[in-house]
Amino acid sequence: MYRLSMTENTRVLANCLGDMTVMADPPPKMWKALAVIAARINAAYDECSGLAPGGLGNKCLFASLAVRDFLVQIGYADATVRACYLYIDANDLAGKQIWSVGIGAPGQQDIPEKYNGHAVCTVPSLSLLIDPTVYQAIRPQWGGRVSGMAAIRYHKPWDSQRIHGCPSIAGAEIATPDRMVGMLWLDRPELNWKQQPDFRQKNERRRYVTKALREAFGNWSE
């Protein structure tokens, strides 16, 4: 475990479940669900996609929909998809920016058949945001401190903390010996993810991945 300083100036211990960093304190049932997502979602996609391993890493809407479907099936009826913008940067100890990356920033050029934004799964009853495709934003400049998936508490949009006009809904700062790595998820409610093929067409791949997660979760008793 390593300690994170959250953007709202609170402290939380981050737990690593394989490729997922959990920056929240969910109930035991959700802990189990997160462990299943971390352990199974990428392998399940590889099994049914016919693509090279790791193909889910940049398919944020597909992955978030599969996570949502799985969570609804195990009892989190309010699980949903949320459009956002993921921003990660690294600054040296003097505050000078070393590097930055934005996934789903406003103004990016449309690519046919691609979702022009970033998507995550949220569970409002737990104020929990689950991002299964941070992989695409990993860079050497993060010093190995950013993992491929994340689960973090989210909050109402903060107008006082904006990037490219988007207010933040979740974030953390990760301290290293020579730099600070910041992660922000920023709100983009104007994006209509329900118009995308990944939502409108619940294909066999999504059914396969959701079923694999559900089977790995098994039963739960309080």
Side-chain angles (χ1 to χ4, degrees):
M1 293 190 296
Y2 54 93
R3 190 171 292 275
L4 298 171
S5 172
M6 306 301 289
T7 53
E8 60 264 43
N9 296 319
T10 61
R11 291 279 182 175
V12 67
L13 284 175
N15 291 272
C16 291
L17 298 172
D19 279 356
M20 180 183 289
T21 300
V22 182
M23 297 168 279
D25 189 21
K29 182 178 178 180
M30 180 54 76
W31 271 114
K32 182 178 180 182
L34 294 175
V36 165
I37 294 165
R40 193 72 182 97
I41 192 169
N42 285 289
Y45 185 80
D46 291 344
E47 291 161 10
C48 69
S49 71
L51 302 174
L56 189 64
N58 64 354
K59 295 175 176 60
C60 62
L61 183 54
F62 178 99
S64 296
L65 284 164
V67 169
R68 182 206 64 173
D69 295 348
F70 160 58
L71 293 178
V72 168
Q73 288 182 16
I74 64 171
Y76 292 100
D78 64 331
T80 188
V81 171
R82 186 163 182 168
C84 65
Y85 159 30
L86 173 61
Y87 177 84
I88 306 178
D89 71 354
N91 296 276
D92 65 23
L93 299 184
K96 182 180 179 181
Q97 189 175 81
I98 299 169
W99 203 261
S100 68
V101 168
I103 306 294
Q108 293 181 340
Q109 185 176 358
D110 286 336
I111 301 174
E113 303 301 318
K114 293 282 188 177
Y115 175 59
N116 193 5
H118 187 58
V120 296
C121 178
T122 60
V123 185
S125 58
L126 300 179
S127 297
L128 186 68
L129 181 156
I130 303 166
D131 189 338
T133 58
V134 181
Y135 295 95
Q136 58 191 315
I138 292 178
R139 300 292 187 274
Q141 289 81 5
W142 315 152
R145 296 303 203 275
V146 175
S147 58
M149 292 181 265
I152 187 170
R153 282 187 61 85
Y154 74 90
H155 48 73
K156 293 180 180 180
W158 285 358
D159 284 330
S160 60
Q161 187 175 57
R162 287 176 172 264
I163 297 179
H164 291 154
C166 302
S168 72
I169 54 173
E173 289 183 329
I174 309 163
T176 79
D178 66 346
R179 68 194 62 189
M180 293 291 292
V181 179
M183 302 182 69
L184 282 176
W185 286 263
L186 303 119
D187 205 20
R188 292 203 61 190
E190 79 281 5
L191 291 176
N192 190 350
W193 53 268
K194 291 185 178 181
Q195 294 297 316
Q196 302 299 312
D198 278 335
F199 172 73
R200 291 186 285 105
Q201 302 168 8
K202 189 174 182 180
N203 58 30
E204 289 304 314
R205 289 182 185 180
R206 194 166 125 210
R207 291 190 181 94
Y208 184 95
V209 173
T210 301
K211 182 181 179 183
L213 295 174
R214 182 67 187 86
E215 290 177 348
F217 184 84
N219 298 319
W220 179 264
S221 58
E222 298 292 345

